[in-house]
Amino acid sequence: PGAPPPPAFVPGGPPPPETDTDMPEKVAGIEVLGDELWFSHVPTRRSLRERVIAAHAAQKILVASPATEIKRICPGPGRILGAGAVLRLGGSLLGGYGEADINYAYRQLSRALHPDKNPDIPEAHDAFKRLTDAAAELKEGLEEQRSVLRAICLVMGVVVTPEMTERPQEALFAEATRLLHAVLALTGEGEVPGPALSRSLVAFTASTSWTNCRPQVLLSEWFDSNRLLDLFGSASLRTAYDCAPRRYRAQFLCALNRTTMAEAKRNNDCVRGNWHPVMMQYPEIALWRDLRDKIKLRVWTPEPVEEKTKRRGSMWDDEEGKRTSNWATTWRERIRKVLPRGIDGFVNAGDKEVRLMVSALWQDISDWVQTEEQGPRFLSLFTAEPPQAPDGTEAPQVDQWAFIPASDLLLVVGEGIVGISAEGFGAADAKPGHERMSFDEAMAGKKEKVKEVENDEKEKKKSKDKDRSKSRDDKKKDKDGKPTNDPDFNWEKVWRERVQISKQRPRRSPPPETRSDNRRSRSRRRGRSRSNRRSRSRERRDRRRRPVSGSRSFSR
């Protein structure tokens, strides 16, 4: 709303680019792990549309008795049922709707709720009017959703097809998710070195997920203008969000929250005021932020150290001690081992070792969160939905988790270590010569070869320093034969003895030749001083006797 719709797709024109992205291997018990680019995966998009078509084909509007339906539509004073709930459309069960679905639901309900068929029910007229208004409201919402879809696709370089606009909810939600991930990929998250940012731009332009998307145009439209951000705060996108599966809804929420953090990092911890209606439209983000803060607090709260175990070190030692908890220190070390060195190169987000590490980290965190007071409420954002059988009944549970926020976990637990870009993940503080390990080796506590070599060199250096210090101690002795570093050595006594010896030592008289020379030099100095005094006194007398010019002389 408020954005001029770009030209729609012409059926006779060129077909849209068929972009496809390989999806990573599925981890057992998890539907989606991390930022999987499902929006550019053609089979996934096709299966979502087919699921919507199948759900509407199997749907039958079961109309209850007129009194029951009228009471449902008009629940009472001060309460208004939403348009989608009135017509039983929308939500993740059906996955979307179009004009044909609205007309079908309206026909089924209007036959039962018509005031002429229910003259004995006073609320029948209000219920029928609400039904008519709900149908018109949904049709108007469809036009707004198509307008928002065209505006997003125009920036992303995606061609809008009639298949996308028939039931626009799935396409709108997918393209909005694509836009968020494109902004995050270009801005970078965490600690991204300079060379990695250059490689990220190359990886972004080469990826099929962002075909025809111009990076500078996208960043300018997102950060310098409020048009795209206002679209995310619209009711049209919220409707599309409600029609998506939970696994993709959770991924969308995490990406939206990280986008606010990316903007705050870009603008010195400041974000635009237009974010407020966006956050009001998605109140679930507050729940995820609370959980994220709890995890961060656990990372940066070290265990208290007992007084007995404290050791007083040098004045240059860190008085605060360890900054992270033991649990966080262990996982941060594992993250360093599994991720590659960021300056040399990043690893793809679909890397098997990274996915295994993140799944183990999430399992550890979820076990801890369940012990908290609001733990089940936090985890409900990511718990998998019960699958639905073809007959409408619940099928056996297959996966435990709908989505695992891999990027958020690495950024929170590995703060100051992990960098994320369009290229993937990398460790920013890894030292030269760093070689990444497998997840099993990191969990087993295997040490890096670089660290082993460094430890050996340190031990050799220490032994050399000890040998040098011993040799210095043996060599450094004073005249009395005692070492200079002897703590019991009485320096004052030795100094007094040496002073007495120097006083008692007889002075040697100079030879006769030097005596005569000294006498001559002294006499010369005396003569010069006398002659100088005489010349100065003579000059003073002459000045007194000299007459002053212009003055009169008086004789007695």
Side-chain angles (χ1 to χ4, degrees):
F9 172 74
V10 182
E18 189 77 7
T19 60
D20 195 359
T21 303
D22 294 333
M23 299 294 285
E25 182 181 354
K26 186 178 182 300
V27 180
I30 304 168
E31 295 180 4
V32 176
L33 197 158
D35 296 332
E36 297 181 5
L37 307 182
W38 62 272
F39 43 80
S40 60
H41 189 235
V42 175
T44 301
R45 298 282 299 273
R46 187 181 297 116
S47 65
L48 289 174
R49 289 193 292 267
E50 291 174 354
R51 185 176 69 89
V52 174
I53 295 172
H56 281 284
Q59 183 196 24
K60 293 182 180 180
I61 300 294
L62 301 177
V63 182
S65 62
T68 305
E69 289 293 339
I70 290 171
K71 186 176 181 181
R72 181 182 68 85
I73 295 174
C74 299
R79 298 177 60 190
I80 300 176
L81 195 65
V86 170
L87 294 168
R88 294 194 178 97
L89 293 176
S92 60
L93 181 60
L94 294 177
Y97 55 88
E99 280 86 357
D101 307 317
I102 296 173
N103 294 333
Y104 170 75
Y106 177 77
R107 285 196 304 268
Q108 295 296 105
L109 290 171
S110 63
R111 291 171 186 171
L113 302 180
H114 200 279
D116 295 342
K117 293 184 178 180
N118 304 285
D120 54 339
I121 303 178
E123 296 85 1
H125 179 75
D126 295 336
F128 187 79
K129 185 177 182 301
R130 176 60 186 145
L131 180 64
T132 306
D133 294 342
E137 184 180 343
L138 290 181
K139 289 180 180 180
E140 183 180 354
L142 285 177
E143 293 301 324
E144 292 178 354
Q145 292 167 21
R146 290 170 182 138
S147 176
V148 175
L149 173 63
R150 293 188 183 99
I152 294 177
C153 290
L154 179 65
V155 178
M156 297 302 298
V158 179
V159 180
V160 181
T161 63
E163 188 181 22
M164 296 167 65
T165 57
E166 181 182 1
R167 291 185 176 98
Q169 292 82 17
E170 180 272 333
L172 174 57
F173 182 74
E175 297 307 325
T177 308
R178 186 199 300 267
L179 189 148
L180 290 178
H181 284 82
V183 172
L184 292 173
L186 289 172
T187 54
E189 302 175 81
E191 304 297 328
V192 182
L197 286 175
S198 303
R199 295 195 309 265
S200 174
L201 185 60
V202 176
F204 183 88
T205 54
S207 175
T208 57
S209 301
W210 332 105
T211 307
N212 300 329
C213 178
R214 292 174 291 178
Q216 295 300 329
V217 174
L218 174 61
L219 292 178
S220 177
E221 286 287 333
W222 181 261
F223 290 110
D224 300 336
S225 175
N226 295 326
R227 186 172 63 93
L228 288 178
L229 183 58
D230 292 340
L231 297 180
F232 279 80
S234 63
S236 302
L237 191 53
R238 174 68 203 202
T239 302
Y241 168 86
D242 292 331
C243 294
R246 179 179 292 180
R247 56 185 180 274
Y248 300 139
R249 295 201 306 267
Q251 182 178 353
F252 177 85
L253 287 178
C254 294
L256 191 63
N257 181 57
R258 280 163 37 218
T259 308
T260 62
M261 299 172 65
E263 181 172 332
K265 182 180 178 180
R266 183 187 178 98
N267 299 329
N268 298 325
D269 294 334
C270 296
V271 295
R272 291 168 286 178
N274 300 66
W275 275 105
H276 181 69
V278 178
M279 296 300 161
M280 295 294 292
Q281 198 69 255
Y282 303 95
E284 301 93 336
I285 291 183
L287 193 62
W288 165 232
R289 283 184 169 182
D290 292 343
L291 176 57
R292 203 174 189 273
D293 292 341
K294 282 184 174 292
I295 299 173
K296 187 174 182 178
L297 186 64
R298 187 188 182 193
V299 171
W300 298 103
T301 305
E303 290 78 4
V305 182
E306 298 180 1
E307 294 293 334
K308 296 181 181 180
T309 58
K310 285 184 178 180
R311 291 185 297 177
R312 187 176 180 181
S314 171
M315 63 179 294
W316 306 108
D317 292 343
D318 187 7
E319 296 180 358
E320 296 181 359
K322 292 178 60 178
R323 296 181 58 193
T324 58
S325 61
N326 295 334
W327 172 83
T329 303
T330 302
W331 276 107
R332 286 166 68 88
E333 189 63 28
R334 292 169 182 170
I335 291 172
R336 284 192 185 95
K337 293 177 180 178
V338 174
L339 293 182
R341 187 168 178 253
I343 296 179
D344 300 333
F346 279 24
V347 68
N348 194 302
D351 183 78
K352 181 180 178 181
E353 303 300 331
V354 176
R355 290 167 65 84
L356 290 175
M357 179 186 65
V358 173
S359 62
L361 175 59
W362 174 254
Q363 190 61 43
D364 191 355
I365 291 176
S366 62
D367 293 341
W368 165 72
V369 172
Q370 287 176 354
T371 61
E372 298 291 320
E373 183 179 356
Q374 295 185 342
R377 186 165 171 260
F378 290 139
L379 298 178
S380 63
L381 291 172
F382 308 102
T383 306
E385 294 176 310
Q388 296 288 333
D391 56 354
T393 59
E394 291 186 4
Q397 189 77 24
V398 178
D399 296 320
Q400 181 183 6
W401 304 107
F403 175 73
I404 288 182
S407 299
D408 289 270
L409 295 181
L410 292 176
L411 289 173
V412 173
V413 179
E415 184 178 352
I417 300 175
V418 179
I420 304 177
S421 68
E423 193 181 9
F425 301 105
D429 66 340
K431 297 181 179 179
H434 169 75
E435 295 182 3
R436 54 178 307 221
M437 301 181 183
S438 65
F439 169 68
D440 295 333
E441 292 175 343
M443 291 295 290
K446 182 180 178 181
K447 295 184 178 180
E448 297 184 46
K449 294 181 180 179
V450 178
K451 287 192 174 182
E452 291 178 358
V453 173
E454 288 181 355
N455 293 335
D456 295 340
E457 291 179 354
K458 286 181 180 179
E459 291 295 332
K460 291 180 181 178
K461 191 175 180 180
K462 285 182 180 179
S463 61
K464 288 182 180 179
D465 293 340
K466 288 180 180 179
D467 296 340
R468 289 174 183 172
S469 62
K470 287 181 180 180
S471 61
R472 287 188 196 128
D473 293 343
D474 295 339
K475 291 178 182 179
K476 288 186 177 181
K477 292 184 179 180
D478 61 355
K479 296 179 180 179
D480 298 333
K482 291 190 176 183
T484 57
N485 57 354
D486 187 3
D488 299 330
F489 191 72
N490 193 343
W491 290 98
E492 183 178 1
K493 181 180 179 181
V494 173
W495 177 75
R496 293 184 181 281
E497 290 177 356
R498 289 182 180 177
V499 169
Q500 292 295 330
I501 292 173
S502 63
K503 286 182 177 180
Q504 296 173 3
R505 186 182 301 163
R507 295 183 180 180
R508 294 183 298 175
S509 58
E513 296 178 357
T514 51
R515 291 178 190 172
S516 60
D517 292 338
N518 293 336
R519 289 189 192 121
R520 289 171 189 164
S521 61
R522 283 197 295 271
S523 62
R524 288 196 195 101
R525 286 196 294 271
R526 289 170 186 164
R528 287 173 189 162
S529 60
R530 288 172 183 170
S531 61
N532 290 336
R533 286 196 298 272
R534 290 169 184 166
S535 61
R536 283 196 295 270
S537 62
R538 197 178 297 116
E539 288 176 359
R540 283 195 293 271
R541 285 196 300 270
D542 294 341
R543 265 193 241 105
R544 293 194 199 100
R545 293 173 181 175
R546 191 179 303 153
V548 181
S549 61
S551 61
R552 296 175 62 184
S553 60
F554 296 94
S555 60
R556 295 182 180 178

